[in-house]
Amino acid sequence: MKRINLKSHRNLIFVAAAIVVYAFIAYGMNSNLLPRATQTLAIKACYNVILALSLSLIVGFLGELSLGHAGFFALGAYSGCIFSINSNLPIELRFVLAALIGGTVAAIGGFLISSSILRLQGDYLAIVTLAFGEIIRSFIKIIPVTGGTAGLGGIPSLGSKLKTFTFSYVFVILTILVIRNIVASSHGRAITSIRDNAIAAESIGINIKLYKIKVFTVGAFFAGIAGVILGHYINFIEPANFNYNVSIEILVMVVLGGMGNLLGSIIAAVVITFLPEILRGFDQYRLLIYALALIFMMLASNSPRIINFRVKAREKAAGLYKKLFTRKEE
Amino acid sequence: MTQVELLEVNNIGISFGGLRAVDNVSLTIKNGQLYGLIGPNGSGKTTLFNMITGVYKPTSGTFYFNGENLTGKSPVEINKKGIARTFQNIRLFKNMSVIDNVKVGLHNKHKYTMFESILRLPRFFHEEQKMEEEALELLGVFDLDKEKDSLACNLPYGKQRKLEIARALATGPKLLLLDEPAAGMNPNETEELMETIRFIRDNFNMTILLIEHDMKLVSGICEEISVLNFGTLLASGKTSEVLNNPEVIAAYLGE
Ligand SMILES: Nc1ncnc2c1ncn2[C@@H]1O[C@H](COP(=O)(O)OP(=O)(O)O)[C@@H](O)[C@H]1O
Ligand SMILES: [Mg+2]
């Protein structure tokens, strides 16, 4: 009984935090207390969080290094936005449908790509996903309906920044819920077991190929939604928005957040979104800072001393939490 | 259980390039038996396990489990048919908690779809509850329930070996393959392990095939054994008789 109560407390905290964050930003936007640049970045943070969470499922939980996430991002952006441009539905409905279409097209891409690389692992898989990302981009450049290298313009806007932010934010919350619910389930444990020891996972009946396909499909779906948000927010997309640097930047968010740590990925995505703003004037050092931060994270997440410290801290926090929230029932 | 053949290995063999790692090995294990497999290092014992569990495809011969030909099937299919194993070099899910290691073993028993987990539909809670109970029960058997929330990699060595057995049992096998379960254990731990293995056989209705170097353990609990040497079968039969076979003593025990 206590366990279940503990969990519902956590859900309440999540909902409360989500509302507070939204209220804060919405007020800031409405009253223009937030600087314009920050308002823009708040929307950018939304799709970056979705991108980071979706890649986290592939890299952090399944343990496969995918360097082609920008490809799924692009598939979603183009398919969703092309729909939006050619539709006459009310803009709100159009946006939601575009998100579903973009997500679905990207998911089909994820399904096809993962089905074709089932035998690959590690470095080979990384290289092939990188290539797939670039192939998608090259393909977009040559087919007419996407506008080619000139880009795709005329993507409708939802209206005010606040409105765009609100719709994006709802998708962020949905993404968090879906991915968390997958991770915290028998399927999530199966996925994590493949990361930790694929041979052992197979020996106890975990179908690795099936999960690779499922994880890539779900991950690509959300990357596609992120693409639709991007399109409806900048109203113009071009292949350069989706080059491999973007894949790397998403990967940086996942690694900085601590592999297999959803909250960490969210925070890292937000921080990296705002980093250029924070470091205004030091922009040329941005890549250097990424590199240093990455090296630090690699060291930190592989050092037994730091891992043990984290585990102990978590156990202590859990104990404290139990003390605070379970006393009333006794 | 009557003396029904559970596992029948017929003239099985495998080559790695030019190396004949296992050649023409046959053995029969009956329901409920505790069967030992011994032999010097590099004689092909682990390779035989890997063939029976589908990690390697045999290049010759067949094996039947419960009367069904499983030769060349995948590890997942073979596990679903009822064969589970542990590994010589422990293979736990190190960064997962102790109880989650066992729950992964229960994954195919208590099923719900990914969709049901996303929407947190009633079946999710129902099956999760069952998994929690069964995992705790299994951990209790191995005296691991107090450590259920520790990371598997933080367990001491002996407990890691136990956890690996618990995880294998969670898949509900009929045949359990243990690859050097006592390796790295002190005499006290080995003694305790022997008890545990007997307990599993009796309480889980299990048939057990184990690879072991500890002769005290082998002669203490195995009713029958087979001896491998350079990939071929040197002898098999009643434990006491095989261990007194001069050829076996020369090849293995004498050194
Ligand atoms: N995947 C492999 N590739 C090449 N040789 C292998 C492979 N697996 C096992 N062998 C070889 O097969 C032989 C038997 O090994 P193994 O079954 O591990 O022995 P044991 O478990 O009896 O100590 C050894 O010579 C080993 O080097
Ligand atoms: Mg071996």
Side-chain angles (χ1 to χ4, degrees), chain A residues 162-211:
Chain A
L162 178 58
K163 199 164 164 194
T164 307
F165 174 75
T166 305
F167 274 78
S168 310
Y169 193 78
V170 170
F171 277 107
V172 170
I173 300 297
L174 288 176
T175 308
I176 295 174
L177 286 176
V178 169
I179 292 186
R180 189 209 79 115
N181 283 357
I182 291 175
V183 166
S185 80
S186 192
H187 300 285
R189 290 191 293 265
I191 292 163
T192 316
S193 78
I194 295 171
R195 173 196 73 191
D196 272 12
N197 202 312
I199 291 177
E202 278 195 305
S203 84
I204 55 171
I206 303 301
N207 190 333
I208 296 182
K209 291 179 178 175
L210 188 70
Y211 273 109

Side-chain angles (χ1 to χ4, degrees), chain A residues 178 180-182 184-187 189 193 196-197 199-206 211 214 308 311, chain B residues 76 79 87 91 93-96 100 103-104 107-108 112-114 117-118 120 128 131 151 154 167 171:
Chain A
V178 169
R180 189 209 79 115
N181 283 357
I182 291 175
S185 80
S186 192
H187 300 285
R189 290 191 293 265
S193 78
D196 272 12
N197 202 312
I199 291 177
E202 278 195 305
S203 84
I204 55 171
I206 303 301
Y211 273 109
K214 282 188 178 175
N308 272 330
V311 170
Chain B
V76 172
N79 177 257
F87 297 87
R91 286 179 176 274
F93 308 127
K94 285 186 193 155
N95 298 308
M96 296 173 75
D100 279 358
K103 282 182 180 174
V104 180
H107 177 76
N108 288 325
Y112 50 81
T113 62
M114 206 179 254
S117 72
I118 290 171
R120 289 294 193 251
E128 278 292 314
M131 275 196 211
L151 289 187
N154 286 342
R167 182 182 70 185
T171 65

Side-chain angles (χ1 to χ4, degrees), chain B:
Chain B
M1 289 280 169
T2 45
Q3 298 280 307
V4 183
E5 281 141 24
L6 184 65
L7 179 73
E8 200 187 311
V9 179
N10 305 312
N11 307 317
I12 213 165
I14 189 169
S15 305
F16 296 110
L19 176 79
R20 194 77 185 150
V22 172
D23 188 32
N24 213 17
V25 169
S26 300
L27 44 96
T28 304
I29 299 177
K30 298 188 197 83
N31 233 324
Q33 251 185 340
L34 246 168
Y35 199 105
L37 185 61
I38 65 171
N41 277 326
S43 58
K45 306 180 296 296
T46 299
T47 305
L48 184 62
F49 267 27
N50 281 337
M51 287 192 284
I52 298 174
T53 53
V55 176
Y56 297 151
K57 314 275 173 246
T59 49
S60 60
T62 55
F63 71 94
Y64 285 77
F65 179 69
N66 241 343
E68 192 178 345
N69 187 352
L70 296 186
T71 321
K73 290 265 192 289
S74 75
V76 172
E77 287 172 294
I78 289 175
N79 177 257
K80 284 183 177 167
K81 293 288 178 193
I83 302 180
R85 71 176 294 184
T86 64
F87 297 87
Q88 183 173 351
N89 46 341
I90 305 175
R91 286 179 176 274
L92 286 173
F93 308 127
K94 285 186 193 155
N95 298 308
M96 296 173 75
S97 71
V98 167
I99 192 167
D100 279 358
N101 268 266
V102 177
K103 282 182 180 174
V104 180
L106 292 165
H107 177 76
N108 288 325
K109 186 174 177 197
H110 295 295
K111 285 190 173 179
Y112 50 81
T113 62
M114 206 179 254
F115 189 72
E116 283 169 312
S117 72
I118 290 171
L119 294 183
R120 289 294 193 251
L121 296 179
R123 204 149 73 116
F124 165 84
F125 292 104
H126 188 246
E127 299 298 316
E128 278 292 314
Q129 182 71 32
K130 278 190 180 164
M131 275 196 211
E132 176 87 15
E133 285 164 11
E134 281 176 40
L136 279 175
E137 201 180 313
L138 263 174
L139 288 177
V141 169
F142 293 91
D143 209 12
L144 287 167
D145 38 350
K146 286 192 193 64
E147 283 106 333
K148 74 181 176 77
D149 293 321
S150 323
L151 289 187
C153 60
N154 286 342
L155 286 183
Y157 187 80
K159 291 194 171 182
Q160 292 198 6
R161 287 229 171 260
K162 284 187 183 176
L163 177 57
E164 219 191 7
I165 299 177
R167 182 182 70 185
L169 285 177
T171 65
K174 300 189 191 80
L175 174 66
L176 181 62
L177 309 182
L178 304 175
D179 197 343
E180 304 199 13
M185 287 190 175
N186 65 36
N188 283 337
E189 287 174 322
T190 306
E191 193 72 32
E192 198 192 329
L193 180 74
M194 285 168 69
E195 290 295 314
T196 312
I197 292 174
R198 276 202 206 93
F199 180 89
I200 295 166
R201 199 262 304 264
D202 298 340
N203 289 271
F204 289 81
N205 270 326
M206 198 63 57
T207 308
I208 297 173
L209 169 60
L210 63 88
I211 296 174
E212 198 36 79
H213 283 300
D214 188 318
M215 281 308 135
K216 223 178 109 219
L217 189 146
V218 171
S219 54
I221 62 174
C222 296
E223 293 130 12
E224 282 189 37
I225 59 171
S226 284
V227 187
L228 282 185
N229 196 24
F230 296 114
T232 60
L233 202 59
L234 192 64
S236 40
K238 284 226 167 65
T239 307
S240 53
E241 287 167 18
V242 172
L243 292 182
N244 288 322
N245 180 331
E247 252 184 293
V248 173
I249 295 172
Y252 184 40
L253 302 169
E255 21 178 67

Side-chain angles (χ1 to χ4, degrees), chain A:
Chain A
M1 287 317 283
K2 276 182 191 169
R3 278 185 66 88
I4 289 166
N5 271 326
L6 210 79
K7 277 184 187 151
S8 61
H9 269 298
R10 231 180 252 173
N11 287 342
L12 275 181
I13 291 173
F14 172 74
V15 172
I19 293 173
V20 168
V21 169
Y22 175 75
F24 181 75
I25 296 173
Y27 177 74
M29 281 185 167
N30 214 12
S31 61
N32 263 325
L33 280 178
L34 280 180
R36 289 184 72 83
T38 311
Q39 294 187 21
T40 307
L41 287 176
I43 298 166
K44 195 173 176 195
C46 286
Y47 65 76
N48 274 341
V49 167
I50 296 177
L51 286 171
L53 286 173
S54 60
L55 186 66
S56 171
L57 198 58
I58 299 172
V59 178
F61 289 91
L62 182 67
E64 289 295 2
L65 188 55
S66 168
L67 297 177
H69 217 54
F72 304 133
F73 189 33
L75 279 179
Y78 275 94
S79 55
C81 293
I82 289 169
F83 162 80
S84 221
I85 293 168
N86 294 300
S87 161
N88 289 318
L89 293 166
I91 184 63
E92 294 84 4
L93 181 61
R94 218 192 300 176
F95 176 75
V96 172
L97 282 179
L100 289 179
I101 290 170
T104 306
V105 169
I108 293 171
F111 174 83
L112 292 177
I113 289 174
S114 58
S115 311
S116 64
I117 55 173
L118 284 176
R119 289 175 183 281
L120 298 181
Q121 274 177 343
D123 300 347
Y124 300 101
L125 189 132
I127 292 165
V128 172
T129 51
L130 179 74
F132 268 121
E134 286 301 295
I135 288 169
I136 290 171
R137 208 163 64 88
S138 312
F139 200 62
I140 289 169
K141 276 186 194 165
I142 54 172
I143 56 173
V145 66
T146 59
T149 35
L152 182 69
I155 304 166
S157 164
L158 270 162
S160 68
K161 267 194 186 136
L162 178 58
K163 199 164 164 194
T164 307
F165 174 75
T166 305
F167 274 78
S168 310
Y169 193 78
V170 170
F171 277 107
V172 170
I173 300 297
L174 288 176
T175 308
I176 295 174
L177 286 176
V178 169
I179 292 186
R180 189 209 79 115
N181 283 357
I182 291 175
V183 166
S185 80
S186 192
H187 300 285
R189 290 191 293 265
I191 292 163
T192 316
S193 78
I194 295 171
R195 173 196 73 191
D196 272 12
N197 202 312
I199 291 177
E202 278 195 305
S203 84
I204 55 171
I206 303 301
N207 190 333
I208 296 182
K209 291 179 178 175
L210 188 70
Y211 273 109
K212 256 192 197 171
I213 293 176
K214 282 188 178 175
V215 165
F216 268 89
T217 306
V218 173
F221 177 79
F222 286 106
I225 290 182
V228 175
I229 296 176
L230 167 82
H232 287 77
Y233 141 72
I234 54 176
N235 311 118
F236 170 83
I237 50 178
E238 55 181 333
N241 293 126
F242 308 100
N243 65 27
Y244 69 87
N245 281 323
V246 175
S247 295
I248 302 291
E249 191 160 270
I250 307 166
L251 184 66
V252 170
M253 296 170 193
V254 175
V255 176
L256 282 186
M259 299 273 210
N261 181 345
L262 291 181
L263 184 61
S265 295
I266 296 173
I267 294 170
V270 174
V271 169
I272 287 189
T273 307
F274 283 94
L275 203 60
E277 188 62 15
I278 298 165
L279 299 177
R280 211 180 349 198
F282 298 91
D283 204 37
Q284 67 270 42
Y285 297 115
R286 196 170 57 129
L287 285 177
L288 179 69
I289 290 169
Y290 281 2
L292 288 176
L294 271 184
I295 292 169
F296 172 77
M297 279 306 291
M298 296 293 185
L299 292 176
S301 55
N302 287 315
S303 146
R305 215 183 272 171
I306 294 178
I307 290 172
N308 272 330
F309 171 77
R310 270 208 329 246
V311 170
K312 288 224 175 86
R314 204 179 303 152
E315 276 167 9
K316 238 178 217 166
L320 193 70
Y321 192 85
K322 243 181 211 164
K323 247 186 228 161
L324 282 175
F325 287 106
T326 49
R327 193 178 295 150
K328 291 165 218 140
E329 297 158 27
E330 280 153 22

